[in-house]
Amino acid sequence: MAPVNAACIQEPTHRPNPPLSQEDQGIPLIDLSSPDVDALVEAIGHACRQWGFFQIINHGVPSEHLHRVEEAVRKFFHLSPDEKRKVRRDARKVMGYYDTEHTKNVADWKEVFDYTANEPTLAAASVDEDDDRVAYWENQWPQNPPEMREACQEYAKDMLELATRLMELIAMSLGLPARRFEEFFRDHTSSGRINRYPPCPSPELVLGVGPHKDPGVLTILAQDEVGGLEVKRKSDGQWIGVKPIPDAYIINLGDVLQVWTNGQYESVEHRVMVNSVKERFSIPFFLNPSHYTMVAPLEELTQEQNAVNYRSYNWGKFALTRKRSNFMKLQVENIQIQHFKNIPSQHYIPDSPRVFG
């Protein structure tokens, strides 16, 4: 078992603490096969408002597709470090293997493999708001195991279909047409990830992933039977462990959806615990808009005497800025969604990147 790197040790206030004894207390479980569409929409809306997290069952994704991915990535992560690093990602090749990622400037206890759902993906080439150049994100697929590429590509198609359905239900829960969000995903920048959390000799000092909110639209997460995900409950700020349910997906809202809804639906902090006994795998899929999307509150949700709570920003440049912290420890916290709240300008963090619309 590898010793704990000092870069992984959390500040005392952020170190793991035992979650409430009743795991996933109150986190909604929604059956997507329900024939009562109105009740389904109501349940989705309640979960989005009260939690920002929910679990779904009977979602239509073939279990064998997920199992193929799980089997392939276990083979990959158990290769030698030199073999895995043949597809190591960097600031230029942003997809592939990585084992030194940071969350809020503290190293995570994990290794990951990232791949983009669109091959190639059109992305912003620069964080400069005046630079309109486009980059092309390509996947780096390992030669071993050879079945990993096809398994991940097949699974990404499943995730896009499921994400489309979820976004339709979310739109309806807001009183909007089911396909209201469709325009934002013509050249979507969605991606998949596989996380491996190795056993840790000092799990009380580190986190697999530190407390954070997802920057995109929606995350669909498959976790294995080991568990470790914790959600910060909105009602009282308590950390709640999310108990694994066979064949269920965990859904959480991202910052983009928070802005689109003008804060009606909020993204919620979550983190990942590790343990000293068993490795853990999780497989998230991140639904993200086109790189040229200007993210702003929807007009329909700000008409009736509602203040516009967020300034618009360019998704591609925001996402590229966020990726900086993957490859270096920053002197200040990386750009966050609160930097775009409509508050007096003197309250903005002066060192935050210029990615405003």
Side-chain angles (χ1 to χ4, degrees), residues 321 324 332-333 335-336 339 348-356:
T321 304
R324 295 191 314 157
V332 296
E333 184 182 48
I335 193 74
Q336 303 290 331
H339 298 160
Y348 290 126
I349 294 178
D351 291 332
S352 60
R354 295 175 66 245
V355 295
F356 306 113

Side-chain angles (χ1 to χ4, degrees), residues 226-285:
V226 177
L229 175 67
E230 292 186 358
V231 175
K232 197 170 191 178
R233 187 162 58 190
K234 289 178 63 176
S235 61
D236 58 9
Q238 291 283 347
W239 287 103
I240 306 296
V242 183
K243 184 178 180 180
I245 297 176
D247 296 321
Y249 283 109
I250 301 164
I251 311 300
N252 68 276
L253 311 183
D255 289 338
V256 170
L257 194 56
Q258 178 172 318
V259 173
W260 280 342
T261 64
N262 202 36
Q264 287 191 46
Y265 294 171
E266 296 179 347
S267 60
V268 172
E269 258 193 325
H270 49 289
R271 66 185 186 182
V272 175
M273 308 280 276
V274 294
N275 67 80
S276 61
V277 179
K278 194 171 184 180
E279 67 180 354
R280 173 180 182 262
F281 287 87
S282 71
I283 304 177
F285 181 84

